[in-house]
Amino acid sequence: MRLLEVILFLMLFAAALGWVARHFRFPYPIALVIGGGALGLVPQLPQLPFDPQFILVLVLPPILYQAALLTSWRDFKANIGPISLLAIGLVIATTLAVGGILKFLVPDIPWAAAFVLGAIVSPPDAVAATAILSRLNIPRRVVTVLEGESLVNDASGLVLYKFAVAAVLTGAFSLLDASIEFAGVATGGVVIGTLMGLLFVFIHRHLGDTFIEVLTSLLVPYIAYIIAESLHTSGVLAVVAAGLVRGRYAPEIVSADMRIMARAAWNLLVFLLNSLVFILIGIQLSGIAGRLEGYTPWQLFLYGTLISAVAILVRFAWIYLATYLPRLLSGRVRRRSPAPPEAEVFIMSWCGMRGIVSVAAALALPLTQDDGAAFPQRDLIIFLTFVVIAATLVLQGLTLAPLIRQLRVGADWSGQEEEQHAKMALTKVAIAAIGELAAKEKIPEALAERIRAEFAEKVTLAIPVGEVLHAGADPAKLLRRAAIAAERRELIRIWRENQISDDVLHHLEEDLDYQESRL
């Protein structure tokens, strides 16, 4: 009963933090990290025992899968160059730089353990950044690169984390062997994830029940992750690949009711997982602080400040060099791809907030090595991880919007233009479908004209209940259903032909889902 009371209190605490974030209009991960830090200051806080590896399996698959589902494949391919530079090159550079500075500050820590911290804090989380950028109408290429980076860098960072932890546990490391194993693990994970994605697309077509469809969608990332890990490949890459594949087919195989229910279920699950890990690390901090007696508060403050600064500055250096150095050295590159405005480069450099993936990876650190000895400097690594997350989320997250306004980053209206184009195309096919069904079912022309006007102007009209053709058939509903079905087919067609982005697809798809559910 005592444990249940603690869990209920923590859930209420998380809900209160979520309300605070919504009320003051800033991303909820910022409220969670502040609340988690506050929990760490509570004396004699009850500890919740948990298996470190279980946290990784519980939290990561759905977080990565949801991000992959919502990734725009068209925009991802169009920006694969800058995304790769950030998601792979920058992750490696950050791992090496943070590991190097930690080894310099704490000479007794093994190199492998130092690189564990580097791998943990190497992948930024785009949730907080994109939540702010989406409200300010930032150029789409900036948001696309950040979202693509967040998707891939989680995978690359966690793969490096896995190898660094293995090196600590075994005490042996070979760069050649690790490189070969990395290629095999990555390739195997992508193949398994792709096959799992296709399998569940096939299964989904034959379910036909909304609740079972939603439950199945929640199981996919866990099944893909566990199968890939059991075959000694990358579970993280398997989840990402499965999400990308299923997201590509989702508009055609998912019903409106299922999409509405799944949207709510996924948002709730992701919020609960975020709350869980930030609360857990807050609880852990109270015990960790007591075990770091070998370090003075001044040393811990210095270590946290320096490592956070390195993580931020490496991103600035990498992005500026990757943006301007190739154009400085090659005239052909300058002509083919002009440099983006400097304000956009600065904003992308400032969007380095760390989040839930880093927290989960830190909490998942093993307690002991293979020989039974304690994992070297585990408490210090977890503490410094939290400091980096707090510093980047609070400092960068809260200053991002004012910086964007101060730098006057240009607005991007291409999304609105695409949406307007899509709405015109959908209205055209809806009006045509109403006419075809009205002629086929001999529905009164006056009623058909009123429904056509409703879809042309997007105005809901009250249709008299008595206007029916025969018992059980409502011609207004028939016309609306036919129009919505035609709109949905046209929306998928223009999306498949790359006339609109995935963001526009999801926005209009959601509108059609709610229209259909009301019928």
Side-chain angles (χ1 to χ4, degrees), residues 101 103 130 132 158 246 319 360 376 388 404 442 451 459 496:
I101 190 66
K103 180 66 175 178
T130 53
I132 296 170
L158 288 169
R246 192 173 179 279
I319 290 180
V388 173
I404 290 173
K442 297 183 173 56
I451 303 298
V459 176
R496 288 288 186 195

Side-chain angles (χ1 to χ4, degrees), residues 142-158:
V142 175
V143 180
T144 298
V145 171
L146 289 174
E147 289 179 337
E149 176 200 3
S150 178
L151 178 66
V152 182
N153 70 10
D154 289 343
S156 56
L158 288 169

Side-chain angles (χ1 to χ4, degrees), residues 48-276:
L48 298 178
F50 61 89
D51 181 358
Q53 291 302 311
F54 176 72
I55 290 295
L56 205 63
V57 178
L58 175 68
V59 171
L60 289 183
I63 297 292
L64 297 174
Y65 187 72
Q66 188 198 41
L69 281 176
L70 299 177
T71 296
S72 170
W73 186 244
R74 183 193 72 170
D75 293 341
F76 184 85
K77 289 192 298 182
N79 294 276
I80 190 66
I83 288 174
S84 300
L85 281 172
L86 294 176
I88 299 176
L90 179 55
V91 163
I92 295 174
T94 305
T95 300
L96 296 175
V98 171
I101 190 66
L102 180 59
K103 180 66 175 178
F104 173 77
L105 295 171
V106 187
D108 293 339
I109 191 171
W111 274 106
F115 289 138
V116 166
L117 175 63
I120 287 174
V121 301
S122 62
D125 185 357
V127 171
T130 53
I132 296 170
L133 297 177
S134 61
R135 294 201 303 263
L136 297 176
N137 203 32
I138 292 299
R140 182 191 296 171
R141 63 179 173 273
V142 175
V143 180
T144 298
V145 171
L146 289 174
E147 289 179 337
E149 176 200 3
S150 178
L151 178 66
V152 182
N153 70 10
D154 289 343
S156 56
L158 288 169
V159 171
L160 289 178
Y161 164 83
K162 181 179 178 181
F163 280 106
V165 170
V168 174
L169 298 180
T170 62
F173 179 78
S174 167
L175 181 61
L176 177 61
D177 293 343
S179 300
I180 296 173
E181 187 178 354
F182 177 87
V185 164
T187 303
V190 171
V191 171
I192 291 173
T194 301
L195 293 176
M196 293 300 299
L198 293 173
L199 173 63
F200 277 97
V201 167
F202 173 78
I203 292 174
H204 197 106
R205 294 182 188 275
H206 298 84
L207 292 178
D209 182 273
T210 301
F211 290 99
I212 297 176
E213 288 175 346
V214 174
L215 178 60
T216 302
S217 72
L218 295 175
L219 293 176
V220 173
Y222 290 110
I223 294 174
Y225 185 91
I226 292 172
I227 290 177
E229 288 292 325
S230 65
L231 296 175
H232 305 292
T233 60
S234 174
V236 171
L237 288 172
V239 171
V240 171
L244 288 172
V245 169
R246 192 173 179 279
R248 192 65 182 166
Y249 289 94
E252 298 175 354
I253 65 173
V254 176
S255 66
D257 288 340
M258 184 269 177
R259 202 158 21 235
I260 293 171
M261 188 181 298
R263 194 178 294 121
W266 274 104
N267 289 338
L268 177 60
L269 176 63
V270 169
F271 176 75
L272 285 175
L273 292 176
N274 270 282
S275 303
L276 171 68

Side-chain angles (χ1 to χ4, degrees), residues 237-477:
L237 288 172
V239 171
V240 171
L244 288 172
V245 169
R246 192 173 179 279
R248 192 65 182 166
Y249 289 94
E252 298 175 354
I253 65 173
V254 176
S255 66
D257 288 340
M258 184 269 177
R259 202 158 21 235
I260 293 171
M261 188 181 298
R263 194 178 294 121
W266 274 104
N267 289 338
L268 177 60
L269 176 63
V270 169
F271 176 75
L272 285 175
L273 292 176
N274 270 282
S275 303
L276 171 68
V277 294
F278 278 107
I279 286 172
L280 280 177
I281 199 171
I283 293 175
Q284 291 283 303
L285 284 176
S286 60
I288 288 172
R291 294 193 295 269
L292 289 174
E293 295 176 348
Y295 302 94
T296 65
W298 166 248
Q299 283 180 305
L300 294 176
F301 174 80
L302 178 64
Y303 294 171
T305 302
L306 288 177
I307 289 173
S308 300
V310 167
I312 293 171
L313 292 175
V314 167
R315 182 177 180 86
F316 267 88
W318 185 272
I319 290 180
Y320 271 85
L321 285 174
T323 301
Y324 294 112
L325 187 60
R327 293 172 175 85
L328 183 64
L329 299 177
S330 172
R332 186 174 65 177
V333 174
R334 284 197 302 272
R335 291 188 296 271
R336 186 183 61 199
S337 177
E342 188 172 351
E344 292 183 15
V345 179
F346 185 89
I347 291 301
M348 289 189 63
S349 303
W350 194 245
C351 291
M353 292 81 89
R354 273 60 178 178
I356 184 174
V357 172
S358 296
V359 181
L363 290 175
L365 285 174
L367 298 173
T368 59
Q369 303 178 72
D370 289 349
D371 59 4
F375 193 96
Q377 301 290 355
R378 183 179 187 272
D379 290 334
L380 180 63
I381 291 173
I382 294 177
F383 175 81
L384 292 176
T385 298
F386 184 82
V387 172
V388 173
I389 293 170
T392 55
L393 266 180
V394 176
L395 173 64
Q396 295 180 303
L398 293 181
T399 59
L400 181 58
L403 270 175
I404 290 173
R405 297 188 183 97
Q406 182 67 29
L407 294 174
R408 298 179 180 178
V409 178
D412 184 359
W413 301 101
S414 59
Q416 286 86 336
E417 292 171 358
E418 284 188 4
E419 186 169 329
Q420 186 62 31
H421 163 72
K423 285 181 177 179
M424 292 175 64
L426 268 56
T427 300
K428 182 178 178 180
V429 296
I431 291 173
I434 291 169
E436 292 175 6
L437 184 63
K440 180 180 178 181
E441 300 290 340
K442 297 183 173 56
I443 295 175
E445 180 59 28
L447 178 59
E449 184 59 34
R450 290 163 67 181
I451 303 298
R452 272 194 289 264
E454 177 183 329
F455 276 85
E457 301 176 15
K458 293 297 178 182
V459 176
T460 303
L461 301 177
I463 305 298
V465 178
E467 293 186 13
V468 293
L469 288 177
H470 51 80
D474 185 342
K477 274 190 177 181

